[in-house]
Amino acid sequence: MPLHVSPAPAPALRSVLTALSSPTAVREARTPSLLGAQGPTTPELPLPVHVLDRITAEGVTETRLTGWRFLIRCGDRAVAAAETMLTPDGWAFSHFFEGPYVTSTERALRQAESVPQAYQPRLLSLPGLYMLTLWLHGDTAADAAAGHPAATDLLVPLTPAPPGIAAHRPHRVADLLPVLSHRVTPTRLLRSPA
């Protein structure tokens, strides 16, 4: 089933296109694959980036939108990514980057296209675990900039995943978040007997 990719805000896309056309922005990005790209580069597959600061065993509080990420394609593969951020003046280009999350995101999106149910793809960052997931939201008509993971949504951990969490294996939110909540909750020290 095809994924229902939400369009990014027009100013976010414009900021990435402007950065891609700026030799200074590309040169200063320190992304060798972007610098060495042979042929035109285009931003594709805009994904809203949400952050989940707090995980509880009972459920998830609202996530917050921190930006939009675009895969930068050259030919038949993604060579880098561009991130935008919301500023007081609106959407602005933040930075280019490359590395395992780019190829991992592309792989997870290809895998998600073979799932029988339709999903809206998003990215969900869990900073307390240094973890990024492809969030497959079941409500394809939802506002991509709002909401929280539903129990039946899928989370696909991207590479590199934290130890003990398999990358590229889809997990229902209801199954994965309780496991993750134990990892970010500090354990209480036992008192020694008096």
Side-chain angles (χ1 to χ4, degrees):
M1 174 92 28
L3 296 174
H4 294 266
V5 178
S6 299
L13 176 58
R14 274 194 307 271
S15 73
V16 171
L17 289 170
T18 300
L20 275 173
S21 66
S22 164
T24 305
V26 171
R27 191 172 43 254
E28 290 179 359
R30 299 177 198 199
T31 52
S33 60
L34 188 58
L35 281 169
Q38 299 295 316
T41 54
T42 55
E44 295 182 356
L45 295 168
L47 297 172
V49 180
H50 294 261
V51 172
L52 181 62
D53 291 317
R54 192 169 57 93
I55 304 171
T56 65
E58 296 79 36
V60 179
T61 58
E62 291 292 312
T63 61
R64 61 185 167 89
L65 180 71
T66 59
W68 282 81
R69 183 173 295 174
F70 298 79
L71 292 181
I72 306 300
R73 186 165 303 285
C74 181
D76 63 347
R77 68 182 188 92
V79 295
E83 189 124 349
T84 63
M85 62 182 181
L86 191 58
T87 69
D89 296 326
W91 289 101
F93 172 75
S94 174
H95 61 281
F96 290 116
F97 67 94
E98 60 184 42
Y101 284 131
V102 174
T103 55
S104 186
T105 301
E106 190 174 37
R107 175 181 169 190
L109 286 165
R110 277 195 311 269
Q111 287 176 309
E113 287 176 343
S114 66
V115 175
Q117 182 179 340
Y119 287 102
Q120 181 189 79
R122 304 171 176 196
L123 292 173
L124 182 65
S125 173
L126 296 95
L129 294 172
Y130 299 99
M131 182 176 181
L132 183 65
T133 68
L134 176 64
W135 167 15
L136 299 173
H137 190 52
D139 183 358
T140 58
D143 177 5
H148 62 281
T152 56
D153 287 353
L154 296 178
L155 296 178
V156 181
L158 300 180
T159 301
I165 302 293
H168 295 285
R169 181 172 172 254
H171 301 270
R172 282 178 4 114
V173 167
D175 298 333
L176 184 60
L177 285 186
V179 171
L180 297 178
S181 70
H182 295 297
R183 290 181 170 221
V184 294
T185 305
T187 56
R188 294 184 182 181
L189 297 174
L190 297 175
R191 288 186 169 182
S192 47

